[in-house]
């Protein structure tokens, strides 16, 4: 069964800690993921706002992406960077680990739309607007005054559409979300969010937002963070299943997926019984217990996210010679 995880911060954490993607302490690591292959991990380049006073978002993002390429060179026997459909098919056929590169926090472009082109050439397939708080593109989920997207932010969304980069609305404020929906001509995704009706957290999605994502042809990656899953701050695998079931009942089986937020979420903040990629089978078994058919479990596990990737981010053959060789625009 193909598994696709829409969001993990392992790459950013590994750079910060001076460790590798093979480190078994990480919830996502190449060695464990290879045991579940074919397994595709979206690796986020997280531009943490707290470091923006010392460095530019562009520099922070570039350092993290360079970390990936360093790791990639050492692990090509197990790991494939997914640039187009051919790479995805190779991951499945050869039962390897695939990597999708994303950027979490549009501050990575340093206010320059030209830098979207740079990141595309570095292999980036998904980009978000903000990270919780406001930036020069728009308002985040924890904003104190929701004014939505800025003029630059609106042009940014159009640019992502033009370049076939998926727009990630996780961490965006409600007004920013709706403006993205109105502007975007392509599917929008929430890589790691849960259901607000089940857990009233500002990072979670309202019923209407879930419907809008489905209407766009996108997907919602259910996040494995206790505080998004349960208002008790302690959660179980049953809570993950409840959020999946809620989305399925609201908009159908075709719009829900996984967005674990591994390493963004510490192991003691994960649901009981979940510590890493090897535990996905526990969720699948719970879904079976709840009456889900195998074909539906396969959709949740990976096919729904795969469909969105194929419709936008990897629908064209990529210029492989240029990947990892983007021209810096400062």
């Amino acid at each position: 069964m193909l598994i696709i995880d829409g969001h993990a911060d392992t790459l950013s954490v590994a750079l910060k800690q001076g460790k590798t993607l093979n480190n078994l302490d990480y919830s996502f690591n190449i060695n464990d993921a290879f045991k579940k292959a074919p397994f595709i991990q979206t690796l986020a380049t997280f531009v943490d706002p707290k470091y923006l006073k010392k460095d530019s978002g562009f520099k922070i993002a570039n350092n993290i992406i360079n970390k990936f390429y360093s790791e990639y060179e050492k692990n090509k026997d197990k790991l494939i960077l997914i640039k187009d459909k051919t790479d995805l098919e190779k991951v499945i056929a050869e039962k390897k680990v695939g990597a999708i590169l994303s950027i979490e926090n549009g501050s990575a472009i340093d206010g320059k739309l030209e830098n979207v082109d740079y990141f595309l050439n570095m292999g980036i397939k998904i980009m978000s607007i903000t990270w919780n708080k406001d930036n020069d593109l728009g308002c985040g989920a924890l904003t104190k005054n929701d004014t939505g997207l800025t003029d630059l932010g609106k042009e940014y969304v159009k640019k992502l559409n033009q370049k076939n980069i998926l727009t990630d609305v996780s961490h965006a404020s409600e007004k920013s979300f709706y403006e993205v929906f109105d502007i975007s001509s392509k599917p929008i995704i929430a890589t790691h969010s849960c259901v607000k009706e089940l857990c009233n957290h500002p990072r979670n999605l309202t019923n209407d937002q879930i419907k809008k994502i489905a209407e766009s042809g996108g997907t919602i990656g259910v996040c494995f963070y206790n505080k998004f899953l349960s208002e008790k701050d302690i959660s179980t695998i049953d809570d993950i299943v409840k959020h999946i079931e809620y989305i399925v009942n609201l908009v159908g089986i075709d719009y829900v997926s996984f967005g674990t937020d591994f390493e963004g979420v510490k192991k003691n903040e994960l649901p009981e019984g979940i510590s890493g990629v090897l535990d996905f089978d526990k969720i699948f078994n719970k879904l079976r217990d709840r009456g889900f058919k195998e074909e539906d479990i396969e959709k949740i596990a990976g096919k729904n996210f795969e469909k969105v990737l194929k419709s936008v981010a990897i629908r064209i053959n990529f210029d492989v010679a240029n990947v990892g060789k983007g021209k810096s625009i400062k």
Side-chain angles (χ1 to χ4, degrees):
M1 185 187 298
L2 171 65
I3 300 173
I4 301 180
D5 178 8
H7 187 90
D9 284 306
T10 315
L11 181 60
S12 304
V13 171
L15 175 64
K16 184 178 179 180
Q17 296 181 345
K19 297 179 180 178
T20 74
L21 292 177
N22 292 304
N23 194 304
L24 294 176
D25 290 337
Y26 293 144
S27 294
F28 166 79
N29 62 81
I30 295 170
N31 292 322
D32 283 346
F34 192 68
K35 296 175 184 176
K36 303 301 299 178
F39 187 101
I40 295 172
Q41 182 65 64
T42 298
L43 292 168
T45 297
F46 172 40
V47 178
D48 192 332
K50 70 182 180 182
Y51 296 121
L52 287 175
K53 291 183 180 179
K54 294 182 179 180
D55 284 306
S56 73
F58 181 88
K59 181 179 178 181
I60 294 168
N62 221 29
N63 287 343
I64 297 169
I65 295 168
N66 287 336
K67 168 71 172 177
F68 169 79
Y69 281 104
S70 175
E71 293 285 298
Y72 185 44
E73 289 301 317
K74 301 171 189 173
N75 292 283
K76 285 189 174 180
D77 58 326
K78 296 179 180 177
L79 184 66
I80 296 173
L81 172 62
I82 297 177
K83 306 171 292 296
D84 54 31
K85 287 182 181 179
T86 302
D87 292 321
L88 186 143
E89 290 163 359
K90 188 175 181 181
V91 168
I92 296 171
E94 298 182 8
K95 293 187 176 181
K96 291 191 175 181
V97 180
I100 294 282
L101 296 181
S102 70
I103 285 180
E104 184 177 25
N105 190 352
S107 294
I109 69 169
D110 279 352
K112 301 178 179 65
L113 292 177
E114 301 96 324
N115 280 335
V116 171
D117 297 278
Y118 171 86
F119 288 121
L120 175 65
N121 283 333
M122 291 298 281
I124 297 295
K125 299 296 183 184
I126 302 167
M127 296 181 74
S128 72
I129 311 297
T130 66
W131 188 80
N132 283 341
K133 296 185 179 180
D134 305 348
N135 63 12
D136 58 357
L137 300 176
C139 293
L142 303 185
T143 188
K144 295 180 179 178
N145 180 28
D146 192 0
T147 55
L149 298 177
T150 64
D151 289 341
L152 178 64
K154 293 172 184 177
E155 293 304 312
Y156 172 76
V157 174
K158 293 176 186 176
K159 181 82 170 183
L160 297 187
N161 275 210
Q162 178 192 350
K163 296 298 178 178
N164 290 307
I165 297 172
L166 282 163
T167 305
D168 179 8
V169 293
S170 286
H171 290 286
S173 70
E174 285 201 32
K175 189 170 182 181
S176 293
F177 171 95
Y178 284 109
E179 289 180 342
V180 169
F181 175 80
D182 288 340
I183 293 167
S184 182
S185 60
K186 303 287 174 69
I188 58 176
I189 60 175
T191 57
H192 56 303
S193 297
C194 291
V195 178
K196 202 164 195 174
E197 191 72 22
L198 296 179
C199 180
N200 188 19
H201 191 287
R203 269 279 283 106
N204 283 343
L205 300 167
T206 65
N207 285 356
D208 189 62
Q209 287 177 306
I210 293 168
K211 289 177 182 178
K212 290 289 190 290
I213 291 172
E215 183 181 334
S216 80
T219 188
I220 298 107
V222 172
C223 184
F224 290 9
Y225 184 31
N226 284 337
K227 291 185 178 181
F228 295 171
L229 289 167
S230 172
E231 293 179 3
K232 297 177 182 177
D233 289 348
I234 297 172
S235 65
T236 66
I237 295 171
D238 286 322
D239 289 305
I240 296 175
V241 171
K242 285 177 185 176
H243 283 258
I244 291 171
E245 283 186 312
Y246 190 95
I247 295 169
V248 171
N249 290 333
L250 186 66
V251 295
I253 192 66
D254 296 319
Y255 307 103
V256 61
S257 53
F258 291 117
T260 64
D261 204 8
F262 284 147
E263 273 62 68
V265 175
K266 298 175 183 177
K267 287 195 176 184
N268 64 358
E269 297 171 327
L270 291 167
E272 293 176 0
I274 300 290
S275 63
V277 298
L278 295 179
D279 295 317
F280 272 100
D281 283 340
K282 296 178 183 178
I283 303 170
F284 301 149
N285 287 334
K286 285 282 186 181
L287 289 168
R288 291 183 185 104
D289 291 344
R290 296 289 296 173
F292 280 79
K293 299 176 183 178
E294 286 303 309
E295 62 190 62
D296 291 338
I297 294 172
E298 288 177 2
K299 285 185 175 184
I300 297 163
K303 286 189 174 181
N304 286 341
F305 206 101
E306 178 189 13
K307 180 181 67 177
V308 180
L309 288 171
K310 284 183 173 179
S311 71
V312 180
I314 59 170
R315 68 184 182 87
I316 55 174
N317 289 326
F318 203 77
D319 185 356
V320 178
N322 285 332
V323 173
K325 298 178 182 178
K327 183 179 178 182
S328 177
I329 302 167
K330 296 181 180 178

